[in-house]
Amino acid sequence: MRNLTLLTDFYELTMMQAYFHVEKETGRRQHAAFDMFYRENTSGNGYAVVAGLAQVVDYINELAFHDDDIEYLRGTGVFCEEFLAYLKQFKFTGSINAVPEGTVVFPGEPLVQVIAPIMEAQLIETAVLNIINHQSLIATKAARVCWAAKGDRVLEFGLRRAQGPDAGVYGARAAMIGGCAATSNVLAGRLFGVPVQGTHAHSWIMSFSSERDAFRYYANIYPDACILLVDTYDTLKSGIPNAIKVFRELRYENTAGAGLKNFGIRLDSGDLAYLSKKARKMLDEAGFPDAFICASNDLDEYVISELKMQDAEISVWGVGTHLITSKENPAFGGVYKLVATRTEGAVDEWQNTLKLSEDPLKITNPGIKKLFRIYDAESGKMKADLVALADEEYTNDCDLTLFDPIATWKQMRLRAGEYIVRELLRPIFKDGTCVYDSPTVTEICAYAARERDTLWDEHKRLVKPHIMPVDLSQRLYDLKKEMIERARRTPETHG
């Protein structure tokens, strides 16, 4: 793991130095609570899949200003020696709670909660946003693509189109969490223990004197993973007939009589619906009904959905550019907002803070919070999420009334026994010590699949999905309302 301590915006460091001087002058240390959340789903989706927590843990564990970092900062001419001496001894001592990777989440919910001395909490803002925003974006895009594929295998093929090596590696990780079956990215496979898969390029075919020879050599080398790219010259007149001849040779040579395993063709151009139907017919008539058809060529969830509606005979989808870049909507939009402060030696209790805006979406929810998920007891499907204050508890053994925090007349009344409640935020760091064991990516993928299964299909629609209610507890709603009114009366103070 690289040391990413300087992976921050310059103003985080200048604010840290300013806080440092304030603490020196007042003799009082200030603590802060920040929420990382997002305001709107990407691509008009009905939900998001959170990812990147393991990399946040690695980042926090490696936080340290090395001598060359200090020298670089000294060279800017902005930082005093006393502050640089503080940085040289810097260690994160705060606490972090977070939603586990692979969890389905919704706008306005705290995904990462940082409670720490304000200088420490301020420093990590940029990196936390960078890591969680990127991987959650790609995991969510992958979930959309996989839903469109309706149970078919989706392969992540985007490394060469990713915005750099890190985006390719961690994008592949996130794509697996979002539901992909394998990646073409070998480094991601090694780092995260996920399946890697690929076929061959057109250049392989073109390097031989004939298409059949190219297929034959490839099949002889990989008899149990023989996926032949059939569109180099002419898909129907050359590619598929030559692939069939090679499959026959493989079957004849298999004297054990076990049949061929893991074999098929890949289509990378042309009308994929038409060509796949023709290919299926040709393969079936030749005696290869178990040969699969893989498709690639600038696919996304919309193209896949259309091809499925046209009964395309495709069972494996290789998705590259649109997935690894989330091309339609390339930013997740997560933010990191101050929700409470506490000053040692003054009033030694938390003071809630609130950011006002003319846009209701940008008005923050004050205070340190918990996040609860409400499930239907009979079906196990999600009904709503509830954001509450940190000292609130919710169990299954009492009646519960939920209400929309904006349209408050919209209410949901649940009787005891009709619902199951689950708290989502988990402790990750406590007083600077990591208390969380990050699951393997394979374990996260399995958990994420179970999470997506708790969504109703109406929430998974690609276009105009049903919106999952994210409600505030009565106490949090009352606190927010009171703080807004107080801020209106005294606009110079919002706390």
Side-chain angles (χ1 to χ4, degrees):
M1 177 66 186
R2 291 171 296 168
N3 182 286
L4 300 177
T5 303
L6 292 187
L7 184 69
T8 191
D9 289 305
F10 191 60
Y11 81 163
E12 308 287 16
L13 291 166
T14 57
M15 282 191 289
M16 284 181 72
Q17 179 168 247
Y19 286 130
F20 178 83
H21 285 294
V22 170
E23 288 188 8
K24 180 183 176 184
E25 291 176 10
T26 63
R28 294 172 177 173
R29 195 181 196 198
Q30 190 174 23
H31 294 251
F34 285 85
D35 284 348
M36 186 262 164
F37 61 96
Y38 72 103
R39 296 188 178 110
E40 295 182 281
N41 285 316
T42 63
S43 303
N45 208 37
Y47 64 96
V49 177
V50 68
L53 180 58
Q55 282 65 55
V56 169
V57 170
D58 290 342
Y59 159 72
I60 298 293
N61 279 331
E62 294 294 326
L63 268 180
F65 289 86
H66 297 159
D67 289 343
D68 53 349
D69 299 327
I70 299 296
E71 284 304 311
Y72 169 75
L73 294 177
R74 180 178 288 117
T76 66
V78 172
F79 303 103
C80 68
E81 288 301 318
E82 195 172 5
F83 177 65
L84 293 174
Y86 160 77
L87 292 183
K88 196 166 185 178
Q89 303 301 318
F90 181 89
K91 182 182 184 301
F92 183 78
T93 64
S95 298
I96 297 177
N97 302 310
V99 173
E101 290 191 84
T103 303
V104 167
V105 293
F106 305 98
E109 301 180 339
L111 308 183
V112 180
Q113 184 182 76
V114 178
I115 304 170
I118 196 165
M119 284 189 284
E120 299 175 19
Q122 200 74 70
L123 173 66
I124 69 174
E125 172 184 5
T126 302
V128 168
L129 287 171
N130 175 274
I131 295 167
I132 299 294
N133 275 338
H134 173 243
Q135 290 199 46
S136 300
L137 175 74
I138 306 305
T140 303
K141 183 68 169 182
R144 284 173 61 81
V145 171
C146 292
W147 187 83
K150 301 299 183 186
D152 294 344
R153 297 177 74 241
V154 175
L155 311 178
E156 186 279 305
F157 277 179
L159 177 57
R160 63 190 59 193
R161 300 288 174 80
Q163 284 97 341
D166 283 351
V169 169
Y170 292 107
R173 179 185 189 274
M176 297 297 297
I177 292 171
C180 288
T183 176
S184 67
N185 188 325
V186 180
L187 181 56
R190 178 190 173 191
L191 290 174
F192 309 123
V194 297
V196 293
Q197 191 168 329
T199 55
H200 58 75
H202 293 103
S203 58
W204 170 265
I205 308 296
M206 296 163 64
S207 68
F208 287 82
S209 59
S210 75
E211 186 176 50
R212 191 187 307 177
D213 283 345
F215 287 169
R216 183 179 290 119
Y217 275 102
Y218 194 84
N220 288 335
I221 297 170
Y222 305 108
D224 293 330
C226 183
I227 299 93
L228 303 177
L229 180 59
V230 296
D231 70 335
T232 304
Y233 302 117
D234 189 301
T235 300
L236 299 180
K237 294 180 180 180
S238 174
I240 297 173
N242 280 323
I244 288 171
K245 290 174 183 176
V246 171
F247 292 155
R248 283 175 176 156
E249 293 173 3
L250 275 179
R251 183 163 60 185
Y252 178 78
E253 292 170 2
N254 188 348
T255 55
L260 301 180
K261 296 184 293 184
N262 190 30
F263 73 109
I265 64 171
R266 177 161 72 97
L267 302 171
D268 191 49
S269 61
D271 187 325
L272 296 178
Y274 171 77
L275 291 174
S276 67
K277 292 175 188 177
K278 287 290 188 180
R280 182 76 275 156
K281 186 170 186 265
M282 294 168 70
L283 289 164
D284 289 352
E285 289 176 349
F288 298 104
D290 48 348
F292 63 79
I293 300 174
C294 173
S296 49
N297 188 29
D298 228 18
L299 299 175
D300 65 9
E301 63 268 42
Y302 301 109
V303 174
I304 293 173
S305 183
E306 287 289 329
L307 289 169
K308 298 290 284 187
M309 286 191 288
Q310 294 170 42
D311 297 320
E313 294 284 356
I314 299 166
S315 59
V316 181
W317 307 85
V319 187
T321 305
H322 287 269
L323 172 53
I324 202 67
T325 65
S326 188
K327 187 174 180 180
E328 180 193 28
N329 192 332
F332 190 68
V335 296
Y336 186 90
K337 297 299 180 183
L338 182 69
V339 296
T341 61
R342 178 173 64 85
T343 303
E344 292 178 358
V347 179
D348 198 23
E349 62 183 27
W350 288 100
Q351 304 296 307
N352 300 314
T353 61
L354 175 140
K355 176 186 179 294
L356 279 179
S357 172
E358 293 184 0
D359 183 350
L361 280 177
K362 293 190 174 183
I363 299 177
T364 58
N365 293 319
I368 302 173
K369 295 174 281 291
K370 289 179 178 177
L371 176 60
F372 295 95
R373 176 150 295 163
I374 313 298
Y375 299 90
D376 177 73
E378 182 177 355
S379 66
K381 300 290 188 181
M382 296 183 202
K383 293 186 73 69
D385 279 1
L386 180 66
V387 184
L389 293 171
D391 60 352
E392 295 189 75
E393 295 292 343
Y394 288 88
T395 58
N396 309 326
D397 56 0
C398 60
D399 294 348
L400 180 64
T401 298
L402 305 176
F403 62 92
D404 187 295
I406 297 177
T408 55
W409 62 89
K410 296 180 180 179
Q411 297 187 352
M412 182 188 305
R413 293 182 174 86
L414 302 173
R415 294 183 180 277
E418 293 181 346
Y419 69 94
I420 298 170
V421 63
R422 169 187 167 215
E423 189 173 346
L424 294 186
L425 288 167
R426 305 276 183 84
I428 310 299
F429 283 85
K430 185 174 181 181
D431 298 329
T433 299
C434 183
V435 295
Y436 180 75
D437 291 327
S438 294
T440 66
V441 175
T442 301
E443 291 169 338
I444 296 169
C445 293
Y447 166 75
R450 295 192 298 271
E451 276 285 288
R452 295 191 299 276
D453 283 345
T454 65
L455 283 166
W456 299 93
D457 283 346
E458 291 83 349
H459 296 106
K460 301 178 186 177
R461 284 196 299 257
L462 298 180
V463 179
K464 294 186 177 179
H466 189 66
I467 303 303
M468 180 68 68
V470 177
D471 299 330
L472 305 184
S473 70
Q474 186 68 58
R475 282 183 55 202
L476 178 54
Y477 174 83
D478 290 343
L479 172 64
K480 183 174 182 178
K481 182 179 178 182
E482 189 275 330
M483 291 185 70
I484 291 173
E485 290 300 320
R486 188 196 316 163
R488 286 174 176 168
R489 294 192 304 268
T490 56
E492 72 277 5
T493 174
H494 290 178

